[in-house]
Amino acid sequence: MANIKDVAERAGVSVATVSRVLNGHSPVAETRERVLAAVRDLGYRPNNVARALRTARTGALGLIISDLTNPFFTELADAVEDEARSLGYSLVIGNAGESPEQQDDYIRTLLDRRIDGLLVSSAGTGSAMLSEVVASGTPLVLLDRTVPGVDAPCVRADGRTALTELAAHLAAHGRRRPAIIVAPAGTPTGDERLGFFRTALGGYGLTLPDERVGATPDLQHTGGRQVMSAFLDLAEPPDAVLATDNLMALGAMDELRARGLRVPDDVALVVYDDVPWFAHTDPPLTAIAQPTRELGRAAVHTLLARIEGRPAGSVLLPARLVTRRSCGEVPAP
């Protein structure tokens, strides 16, 4: 079985350099990639038991995801696991199912297992248990969703520029009555996206009145369909709808089809959170894509910095607008 000296020889570096890479420190990218390639080639597995005896650490990280049935969070969890494993850490994952109570159960379980640090994409608006994690001294990093009152860095996407570009895109395609499907009121991410979109539309002479803001009872397909149904029953239905979650967008699309309406002929449809199959729907959906895998990697490194006692602040990575054909765009020749 390969040991750390074998890895150092294969990578052409010192044992200390291998140790720094595996503990989340970041030498130059070329050196890091050489070490990780040697780890993979040799099948090296750090001795976490010995490491725990030396450092009082277990070599395990915890990840709580708000809803693993959501494709965005599934990919995010996969990215976190890949990065943690490449750095010699195991990952224990809990699915909160958008339930703060279920989230708290997982937090207690993970703390009992003496994880080295915890990543949380919080269900709802969070819970008191997150503040207890901070008070306990367990390193905590929030992922994708901020939680008011919790003193921990957050790694998430910044959608302001993409939403501004979307407002310009809708205006350019003659859409005058935009609407938005958002998460339940009070959810920080949903409130932020609503605020950015409303401000961006104003810059192009477009308004977003309350009657065209629909908060779902959940972040699921059924919620998106319910809100779209209410929009279509308005005296002046919207001619463009932004769904701020991919599952809600699918529900909205189902309601349009059930009423015999077509995208984009009758209503433009845009989704916040791109997933691979949106390029293959009929029509392909214009979307705001978050840098999902980059978020996962950044979250792991932010957490490891906190574990090592190094400075670690919040991270914002830019989302981007991906234009396809669901707003009336002309197909590429």
Side-chain angles (χ1 to χ4, degrees), residues 12-324:
V13 299
S14 68
V15 169
T17 296
V18 174
S19 179
R20 284 197 297 273
V21 170
L22 294 180
N23 282 298
H25 296 285
S26 298
V28 295
E30 180 184 353
T31 301
R32 177 177 179 274
E33 291 305 316
R34 209 160 65 239
V35 170
L36 295 180
V39 168
R40 290 191 295 271
D41 292 345
L42 295 173
Y44 172 66
R45 296 185 63 185
N47 187 335
N48 287 338
V49 173
R51 181 166 64 184
L53 290 173
R54 291 193 306 270
T55 67
R57 296 182 190 149
T58 62
L61 307 177
L63 170 65
I64 298 176
I65 287 292
S66 55
D67 183 8
L68 274 174
T69 66
N70 186 312
F72 167 73
F73 290 115
T74 304
E75 183 179 3
L76 190 60
D78 184 65
V80 169
E81 183 177 34
D82 279 352
E83 191 68 11
R85 188 174 61 249
S86 76
L87 295 171
Y89 284 83
S90 61
L91 186 71
V92 185
I93 302 176
N95 175 26
E98 294 294 357
S99 164
E101 293 77 18
Q102 189 166 312
Q103 174 179 287
D104 286 354
D105 287 342
Y106 275 115
I107 290 175
R108 294 185 187 96
T109 298
L110 291 172
L111 292 180
D112 287 345
R113 294 188 62 165
R114 295 183 62 246
I115 54 169
D116 293 340
L118 181 62
L119 292 166
V120 177
S121 175
S122 184
T125 56
S127 70
M129 273 298 296
L130 289 171
S131 295
E132 291 185 28
V133 173
V134 175
S136 75
T138 300
L140 172 68
V141 172
L142 301 174
L143 182 54
D144 182 60
R145 298 175 178 178
T146 59
V147 178
V150 174
D151 184 18
C154 183
V155 177
R156 61 193 182 97
D158 181 3
R160 189 191 306 262
T161 298
L163 287 167
T164 300
E165 292 173 355
L166 174 59
H169 188 67
L170 293 176
H173 285 82
R175 307 292 172 166
R176 307 304 301 172
R177 299 187 308 278
I180 185 171
I181 304 173
V182 293
T187 306
T189 301
D191 290 349
E192 179 181 84
R193 291 174 185 175
L194 170 59
F196 287 166
F197 191 46
R198 181 171 261 151
T199 299
L201 289 170
Y204 296 91
L206 302 176
T207 61
L208 190 61
D210 290 344
E211 66 180 6
R212 295 203 301 267
V213 176
T216 63
D218 52 41
L219 295 171
Q220 300 299 316
H221 170 280
T222 52
R225 184 161 186 174
Q226 288 172 16
V227 172
M228 180 60 86
S229 178
F231 285 159
L232 297 177
D233 288 339
L234 292 172
E236 286 191 305
D239 60 6
V241 175
L242 167 64
T244 58
D245 177 87
N246 53 70
L247 295 180
M248 296 190 300
L250 295 177
M253 184 181 289
D254 280 351
E255 182 62 21
L256 289 168
R257 288 173 175 167
R259 296 201 185 203
L261 301 174
R262 291 186 57 81
V263 176
D265 299 349
D266 300 301
V267 182
L269 182 63
V270 182
V271 56
Y272 200 116
D273 282 345
D274 198 17
V275 293
W277 61 78
F278 284 162
H280 306 288
T281 57
D282 183 21
L285 291 178
T286 290
I288 291 177
Q290 300 196 74
T292 314
R293 302 207 71 84
E294 291 85 351
L295 288 171
R297 287 193 288 268
V300 172
H301 285 275
T302 302
L303 182 59
L304 294 185
R306 299 210 81 195
I307 291 169
E308 296 290 335
R310 293 179 280 122
S314 293
V315 177
L316 273 178
L317 299 176
R320 62 190 178 89
L321 179 65
V322 180
T323 57
R324 295 191 178 107

